Amino acid sequence: MSDDGSLIREYEELALLWDAERNARKSNRIFVKLHKLDLALRTSETGRASVESLLSHSNRGVRLKAASACLAWDSAPAVAVLEDLVDPRGFRSLEAEMTLREYRAGRMRFDW
């Protein structure tokens, strides 16, 4: 497997592609690849820190994906990023709102 540095670069690139993709089928394929990277990166402290570094990314979709991943190990910063994506309303606000709702209800699964 690649080192965490190359994985996080791939993660960022895929998250940008996912955010820009308007075809649902293609978007879902990218999302699955991102989740596989989530699983690989969360196994190390360096990998988790790399994902957390994306919480301040300029792209809303990248922040959404990183925050959703970070909920698995450190919820406070992730929740704050998701709340900032919900309000003010904008692109990806609905996804952020639904992610927070599922997380707060205890229905989020991180291991699929």
Side-chain angles (χ1 to χ4, degrees), residues 46-108:
T46 303
R48 291 187 297 274
S50 296
V51 176
E52 289 170 0
S53 74
L54 296 176
L55 292 175
S56 60
H57 198 280
S58 61
N59 180 276
R60 290 175 67 89
V62 173
R63 289 196 314 272
L64 171 65
K65 191 64 188 93
S68 299
C70 290
L71 289 173
W73 66 82
D74 188 9
S75 62
V79 168
V81 167
L82 290 167
E83 288 173 341
D84 286 345
L85 288 169
V86 170
D87 191 28
R89 297 304 282 187
F91 188 58
R92 301 287 181 202
S93 290
L94 179 61
E95 291 101 320
E97 185 177 351
M98 295 297 104
T99 299
L100 282 170
R101 182 178 297 166
E102 292 301 299
Y103 175 72
R104 288 175 172 152
R107 292 187 295 257
M108 281 199 71

